[in-house]
Amino acid sequence: MVLGLEMLRRRAVTDAQWQLRGDLVAELAGGPLTDPEAVIARADRLGSDLRLPQRVLAVRNDRLGEADTAQLLRLVQSLVLARPRPRPLLALRDGAIVVVAPAADAQGVEEFARHIRTVAAQAMKGGVRVAVSETCPTPDQLPGAFRLALGLLRLIPYAPAEDILTVASAGMIGMLLADVDPRRMGVLAERWIGPLRDYDHRRATDLVTTLRTYLDHDLNTNATAEALYIHPNTVGLRVKRIETLLGVCLTSVGDLTTLRAALAIDDSTRDA
């Protein structure tokens, strides 16, 4: 009985510490920090050191259910606890497990991210994805790092053989997420995606989804039709309607680049 009570006490202490870490991560992600020194002191009490540069890791598998996500969380927790001090912070946020890890050695953080992905993939079914932000020298830069890591998971299509996701590996979308605050670029998304969304609302159509799917399938009409469960002729008609509404040509490299960027920013803005 004594042993059992001691185990329950330790479990309660551990759960309380993880809750405190989660609360701190939520504050760091929300920003801006009203009292940075107080936040740094809270991190000190949890065995972390926010005076050091940090990187944000986001871990997710969209095909996992609630029970599997809890298992994945426990697995990542065990890997975090095995790290030397100062230890990373960890929490669940926006359907992903997020880790704030000291980044004195940038390569070390990416190796840790790969280790998480490898261990999780061996322990669980499906492809576990891990995205890593750029380095944040100060805590006030962490909200952007959370947005970047979660945005990479949301906007980059899953590939079975993919490495960890970074700005460098994500091409144009990575550069947009790293260099542009999507909340300040809503005007671009509104200029190019707004007319399609308004048309969809008025006519009960689905031009925005059609455009996104068409671009994701490299302008392949048959593949787009298969993905949307519609006839290829319907795809062709929708593409012509998109071109008319926006005054673009979906065979123009310049227009395609603009629309791909606008969709990425629109997705980020609507989820921010």
Side-chain angles (χ1 to χ4, degrees), residues 139-231:
D140 63 300
Q141 296 179 352
L142 285 170
F146 281 98
R147 186 175 62 248
L148 170 61
L150 293 168
L152 289 172
L153 290 179
R154 184 175 63 252
L155 299 177
I156 303 299
Y158 171 71
E162 73 182 14
D163 193 8
I164 59 172
L165 301 176
T166 64
V167 168
S169 71
M172 181 189 68
I173 291 177
M175 289 188 291
L176 282 171
L177 291 170
D179 297 333
V180 177
D181 184 344
R183 291 169 295 186
R184 297 178 183 175
M185 291 296 290
V187 63
L188 176 61
E190 183 59 27
R191 160 63 181 87
W192 294 104
I193 308 304
L196 303 184
R197 186 170 285 118
D198 291 343
Y199 188 91
D200 286 342
H201 180 72
R202 294 195 311 269
R203 303 293 185 90
T205 54
D206 210 0
L207 296 184
V208 175
T209 299
T210 300
L211 174 61
R212 181 179 286 107
T213 307
Y214 190 59
L215 296 183
D216 286 344
H217 289 82
D218 298 323
L219 313 188
N220 187 312
T221 300
N222 290 330
T224 302
E226 184 176 350
L228 295 176
Y229 301 101
I230 58 178
H231 195 277

Side-chain angles (χ1 to χ4, degrees), residues 4-14:
L5 290 173
E6 177 62 18
M7 292 177 64
L8 287 174
R9 185 190 70 81
R10 293 186 181 185
R11 175 66 179 273
V13 170
T14 300

